[in-house]
Every structure is written in structure tokens, then in C-alpha cells.
Amino acid sequence: VYLFGDALTQIDLAFYRSQHQGAEAVSSQNKLVAATGDDWKQTHVVDLKEGEHFVTESELRFRNQRLLVWHWYRIGSFVTPNQYIAKVFDAYNQLILGRNDATMITIATQYDSDRSIRRGRLNNFYNDAFPQI
């Protein structure tokens, strides 16, 4: 978790050096929230182009707390937010390039009412973090 500007911003990297059945970046096991339970709920999902970045944006809610979350995949050297395209990149990487590495990347920040301000914050964080990712 980082203090970025005036809000906390979190980054999560789920890196798979050598994917195999049960340990894959694109998997039904990799979810932002549990399908059941009384905890966090996903209330908004959209594929988004923000600046030069393509991401999947989700809003998560738990009681009176809200998170704006962006996630995407890095499959070898390819980047996409779409899980189906990521699977195509994964097959290409394995069959053509002999690579089997992949990462699911997630960044998040809390917000109250103005989603556009938090989108700007996530976009700036993305720009700062992307070269190191």
C-alpha cells in the first residue's frame, strides 16, 4: 500500500513464473471478491481505456467503504485487460515463444463520490508504476 497524493493506493502482482493447471494468472480462482459471503461485493465492472491504458475497472463495496479497482494481465510481453485475449496470448507464448510466465496486476484506491478523480489517481499511479512492473 502506498500513499499516493492524498489517498492510499494499493498494488497487487500475482506473478506466475511457470504456469500449470491450478496455478494460472487467468483462472476462475483469481477473483477480486468471493462469490458468496457478506464481505466485499462487486457493484460495477467495465472495460476502460484511460489515457493510454486498457484496464478492467471494478467498484467494490463493503458497508460504507468503496474501492475503485483496475486490473489487467501481462502475459509474457503482452498486456491486456481481457481474460479471453490473455488466454490467446498465453497459448501463443507457450507454443511459439516457449514462455510460460504471466502476471495479474491489480491497483486500487478508496473513493467516496467522484469516480473521475479516483480514475485520474489510478491513471497517474499506473504511469508511475508501469515501467517497474
Side-chain angles (χ1 to χ4, degrees):
V1 178
Y2 298 90
L3 182 59
F4 191 77
D6 63 349
L8 294 176
T9 303
Q10 176 179 327
I11 185 168
D12 181 61
L13 303 169
F15 176 63
Y16 299 84
R17 180 179 303 277
S18 182
Q19 298 181 93
H20 57 276
Q21 186 67 34
E24 303 162 287
V26 183
S27 165
S28 61
Q29 301 299 313
N30 287 345
K31 300 285 185 193
L32 296 177
V33 295
T36 60
D38 295 328
D39 294 333
W40 290 91
K41 301 290 184 204
Q42 192 170 22
T43 59
H44 161 85
V45 179
V46 65
D47 287 335
L48 176 70
K49 181 176 190 266
E50 184 70 23
E52 296 299 314
H53 314 299
F54 291 93
V55 297
T56 297
E57 178 181 89
S58 301
E59 179 183 305
L60 306 181
R61 290 182 183 208
F62 178 66
R63 297 187 180 135
N64 63 346
Q65 299 176 38
R66 294 193 304 184
L67 292 176
L68 191 63
V69 181
W70 286 3
H71 80 272
W72 65 96
Y73 303 96
R74 182 174 183 98
I75 310 297
S77 61
F78 301 104
V79 176
T80 182
N82 185 290
Q83 64 184 352
Y84 301 107
I85 293 172
K87 282 291 192 181
V88 171
F89 288 159
D90 189 37
Y92 177 83
N93 270 347
Q94 290 183 42
L95 296 172
I96 306 301
L97 302 178
R99 292 183 70 167
N100 197 19
D101 58 303
T103 307
M104 180 179 171
I105 304 159
T106 306
I107 58 176
T109 191
Q110 291 182 334
Y111 82 104
D112 42 30
S113 62
D114 193 344
R115 188 178 292 155
S116 64
I117 290 173
R118 298 306 176 203
R119 277 183 179 158
R121 180 174 318 290
L122 289 178
N123 190 43
N124 290 338
F125 186 81
Y126 187 127
N127 287 334
D128 285 356
F130 192 79
Q132 283 72 36
I133 297 171

